Amino acid sequence: MAIIKPFRGIRPKKEFVQQVASKPYDVLDEKEAKVEAGDNRLSFYHVIKPEIDLPEDLDHYSPMVYRRGKDNFQKMMAEGVFFQDEKPCLYIYQQTMPARLIPGMEAGGNGRKQNGIVAGASVEDYFNDIIKKHELTRPDKEEDRRNHIRVSSLNYEPVFFAYPNVKALDDIVNDVIKKTPEYDFVSDDGIGHTFWVIDNDKTINEIVNHFSKIKHTYVADGHHRTAAAAGVGKERREENPNHTGDEEYNFFLAVHFPDNQLQIMDYNRVVKDLNGLSESEFINQLKQSFDVTEKGNATHRPAALHEFGMYLDGKWYQLDAKPDTYNDSDPVDVLDVSILSKQILKPLLGIGDLRTDKRIEFVGGLRGLGELERRVNSGEMKVAFALYPVSMKQLIDIADSGNLMPPKVTWFEPKLRSGLVLHALD
């Protein structure tokens, strides 16, 4: 059963929180993060992507990067930007999707809200498979996050977990959010971020007790951060001859959302070339596994599972997978990303390993199908594929079955903001 723990959060003072809060480290590359940070010296990008403060030609995995991140954070602590709560607390982090279309966002979220419980998640639960995973991690990215934790002795960023909805927990959370929040702001992308501190021992114990009856929690977003945090916790345990199991390093920072509040967005693919095939040859070969319908220049968004949109040479096509291309009784084989890989990417385009092949890239979240058109029209990419998003049920079924999804399948929106609360390992 799931173990969570209150902790003494390290947080920005109210007057600094909006300046500090940033998107997660892996949402923007170095150049994009540098632009977004701009002249804001309090941006948390200076901590989680400290390469923006270093020479461009420096190896991003250099020890200097991790030291700079630590130095930048310690400077903010010394200046009084951050402080640590006096007693262990739990926290509620509410996110609100904007109801209207805003620049850079393909669609609004109708004001949808999701309420997460911020707590220490158990390293032991990770290795005992109480915390379920659905994606493989890349060793280099995992080691990168692990080095940040080793050098700083902090979990800089939370991971994004889901749990099966529990009405009693909803009731507690709904009572908490009636009170005045600690933080309440709207970020530049239009998403609302509201944050409450739970320091009442009775409420904390009730929440912890309800989680102790939950069989599994699920990594929704942040597999690399989760693996890194659990790995460092395990290292600390093995290095400590007096280990008891109660030390802070036995837990890491996580925001737990009920599964019925979450929405997975589409995660699409763009490919650089047709692997030596002409456009007509490629389309003819597609017809062996798909019913292909030309849709002209009108953007085609898939409306159901096993339907794909394809953008090639200025035209959109609808691809409907033929029934013999997937197995409905297999939780992985039935996924559209599996169909795409088995029927198109590998046999026709020669792309076998999605994690390492440089000819394929991924476009997800709010960038929208217009981004697929832009990438192809620019000549940077040759063909784009739009997929119907997977469901939370599919994610949980795969995790429960012990299987793993192919890479780059789930895109959760909104993303957690980094810098609202940190967890110290010491």
Side-chain angles (χ1 to χ4, degrees):
M1 300 301 178
I3 300 171
I4 65 165
K5 182 178 182 291
F7 64 99
R8 292 180 60 209
I10 299 172
R11 303 187 286 111
K13 293 178 180 176
K14 290 181 184 181
E15 60 265 34
F16 300 124
V17 65
Q18 195 161 356
Q19 285 177 271
V20 169
S22 75
K23 294 171 185 170
Y25 84 97
D26 54 350
V27 170
L28 302 179
D29 63 26
E30 176 196 353
K31 291 181 179 178
E32 291 170 325
K34 195 167 189 174
V35 169
E36 190 153 313
D39 59 0
N40 176 12
R41 66 182 184 84
L42 300 187
S43 169
F44 210 60
Y45 286 128
H46 295 293
V47 177
I48 58 175
K49 290 187 82 72
E51 54 267 31
I52 69 174
D53 298 327
L54 295 166
E56 290 185 9
D57 58 353
L58 181 71
D59 180 3
H60 288 183
Y61 299 154
S62 164
M64 190 182 300
V65 173
Y66 309 112
R67 288 198 299 270
R68 175 59 67 90
K70 179 181 179 179
D71 290 345
N72 287 343
F73 177 71
Q74 288 185 332
K75 183 178 180 182
M76 285 194 272
M77 280 291 290
E79 292 176 348
V81 176
F82 282 84
F83 71 99
Q84 186 168 24
D85 284 319
E86 293 184 2
K87 62 168 289 185
C89 301
L90 296 176
Y91 309 86
I92 302 298
Y93 179 12
Q94 180 186 86
Q95 297 176 295
T96 306
M97 287 289 281
R100 302 187 309 276
L101 188 72
I102 62 172
M105 181 180 291
E106 186 174 78
N110 298 319
R112 178 175 64 86
K113 296 180 184 294
Q114 55 191 40
N115 298 314
I117 297 170
V118 187
S122 167
V123 169
E124 199 72 26
D125 280 359
Y126 180 84
F127 289 107
N128 288 339
D129 206 32
I130 301 299
I131 297 172
K132 293 282 189 179
K133 288 74 73 176
H134 68 266
E135 284 184 10
L136 291 172
T137 58
R138 280 176 44 185
D140 58 339
K141 288 183 67 177
E142 187 179 321
E143 184 67 7
D144 172 51
R145 291 301 108 181
R146 192 179 283 131
N147 282 333
H148 272 292
I149 300 169
R150 287 172 179 145
V151 170
S152 67
S153 290
L154 294 167
N155 298 135
Y156 285 146
E157 298 183 277
V159 292
F160 189 135
F161 279 10
Y163 65 89
N165 171 247
V166 177
K167 184 181 181 303
L169 281 171
D170 285 348
D171 292 341
I172 294 171
V173 171
N174 288 334
D175 282 341
V176 171
I177 64 177
K178 292 174 184 175
K179 300 173 183 177
T180 303
E182 184 78 1
Y183 308 139
D184 189 9
F185 66 95
V186 176
S187 50
D188 292 343
D189 52 10
I191 294 168
H193 305 271
T194 315
F195 193 91
W196 291 263
V197 178
I198 304 175
D199 58 7
N200 178 276
D201 290 338
K202 180 177 181 293
T203 305
I204 290 171
N205 291 335
E206 287 176 350
I207 293 173
V208 170
N209 183 56
H210 282 300
F211 266 89
S212 71
K213 299 172 185 175
I214 294 174
K215 188 175 181 182
H216 295 291
T217 58
Y218 299 84
V219 183
D221 198 10
H223 280 78
H224 290 92
R225 276 167 282 166
T226 304
V232 172
K234 185 178 181 182
E235 289 174 1
R236 291 285 189 98
R237 177 175 61 189
E238 292 170 350
E239 292 166 357
N240 183 4
N242 300 313
H243 170 81
T244 66
D246 294 327
E247 298 87 355
E248 267 323 296
Y249 61 69
N250 290 288
F251 298 88
F252 58 93
L253 185 59
V255 185
H256 302 76
F257 290 95
D259 59 352
N260 63 344
Q261 294 182 12
L262 301 179
Q263 180 179 337
I264 304 175
M265 301 187 74
D266 47 307
Y267 212 156
N268 304 310
R269 278 83 168 116
V270 287
V271 180
K272 291 182 183 293
D273 59 70
L274 296 182
N275 197 31
L277 297 171
S278 68
E279 291 165 6
S280 60
E281 288 172 337
F282 179 60
I283 290 173
N284 283 334
Q285 291 201 29
L286 284 177
K287 291 178 179 177
Q288 297 177 27
S289 302
F290 300 87
D291 295 321
V292 180
T293 306
E294 186 176 326
K295 307 295 283 189
N297 59 8
T299 302
H300 181 70
R301 179 180 294 281
L305 286 172
H306 312 330
E307 176 188 323
F308 301 80
M310 181 179 76
Y311 187 68
L312 174 67
D313 191 30
K315 296 178 184 176
W316 279 94
Y317 296 82
Q318 178 176 326
L319 311 181
D320 292 290
K322 295 179 178 179
D324 61 353
T325 61
Y326 55 87
N327 177 5
D328 274 327
S329 63
D330 185 317
V332 177
D333 195 67
V334 74
L335 294 174
D336 285 350
V337 288
S338 299
I339 297 171
L340 185 71
S341 289
K342 290 183 178 180
Q343 305 300 328
I344 301 178
L345 297 181
K346 189 171 184 179
L348 303 187
L349 299 179
I351 296 171
D353 190 340
L354 294 166
R355 295 189 299 158
T356 60
D357 199 304
K358 303 299 185 185
R359 294 170 53 231
I360 187 168
E361 294 183 15
F362 308 89
V363 180
L366 301 180
R367 291 182 184 266
L369 301 190
E371 178 70 3
L372 302 186
E373 292 182 352
R374 187 193 70 77
R375 300 283 294 273
V376 173
N377 291 342
S378 71
E380 176 193 0
M381 296 291 171
K382 181 65 178 177
V383 62
F385 299 97
L387 283 72
Y388 189 75
V390 301
S391 66
M392 279 301 301
K393 183 180 184 304
Q394 285 180 305
L395 183 154
I396 289 173
D397 286 348
I398 287 172
D400 283 345
S401 70
N403 287 298
L404 295 171
M405 286 186 176
K408 306 294 185 181
V409 176
T410 56
W411 182 281
F412 286 88
E413 201 71 55
K415 300 290 185 186
L416 302 177
R417 284 272 153 166
S418 297
L420 301 186
V421 64
L422 289 69
H423 171 250
L425 273 61
D426 297 323

